[in-house]
Amino acid sequence: MSIEEFERRLAEAQRDIGMAHAKGAAERATPGWTTFAVAAIREYAAAHQHFPAEHVRRWAELHRKCPPPPNEKAWGPAMKAAQKAGIIVPDGAMRVESSNLSFKVRWRSCLLP
């Protein structure tokens, strides 16, 4: 295995551990939080073709679709769950305000034509 492959696998493992911790904290704070978040993602995706997770998060909090998780990173596993459920798919990248205009995944709704 090359050093680049090793570093990539290490980064993926660290990402997965971080996502599991964030999801676990959200579920401990609000049992069923991920289910509520995926329902909010489904509702948002039914009305928006392209969006970053940040927009879903803000909308869900504003409209009280689910309680804010202890760590906003819990939205990552929720977005992945929505992807697995066929609600959204990754569709490029876009700059987002919450990350100092760094690039994040742009999601595309599978619920709209």
Side-chain angles (χ1 to χ4, degrees):
M1 174 184 328
S2 70
I3 190 77
E4 292 83 9
E5 177 67 14
F6 173 78
E7 289 174 345
R8 185 184 64 77
R9 288 186 184 187
L10 178 61
E12 288 173 348
Q14 290 170 328
R15 173 203 63 202
D16 294 345
I17 290 168
M19 288 176 70
H21 282 283
K23 180 180 178 181
E27 290 292 332
R28 283 189 299 279
T30 304
W33 184 88
T34 304
T35 302
F36 299 135
V38 171
I41 295 164
R42 178 183 302 277
E43 186 175 344
Y44 191 87
H48 300 84
Q49 184 67 47
H50 293 98
F51 49 87
E54 171 182 307
H55 291 180
V56 179
R57 176 184 54 79
R58 278 197 243 146
W59 173 85
E61 289 176 5
L62 178 68
H63 297 284
R64 300 181 188 269
K65 299 298 179 176
C66 62
N71 186 327
E72 290 178 353
K73 291 181 180 182
W75 282 97
M79 299 302 282
K80 288 295 195 181
Q83 178 185 4
K84 189 174 182 179
I87 299 167
I88 56 175
V89 292
D91 185 43
M94 61 190 303
R95 293 183 186 274
V96 297
E97 294 84 12
S98 65
S99 295
N100 298 320
L101 298 179
S102 64
F103 285 100
K104 297 293 181 182
V105 175
R106 179 176 90 160
W107 296 95
R108 180 177 56 81
S109 172
C110 295
L111 306 178
L112 297 174

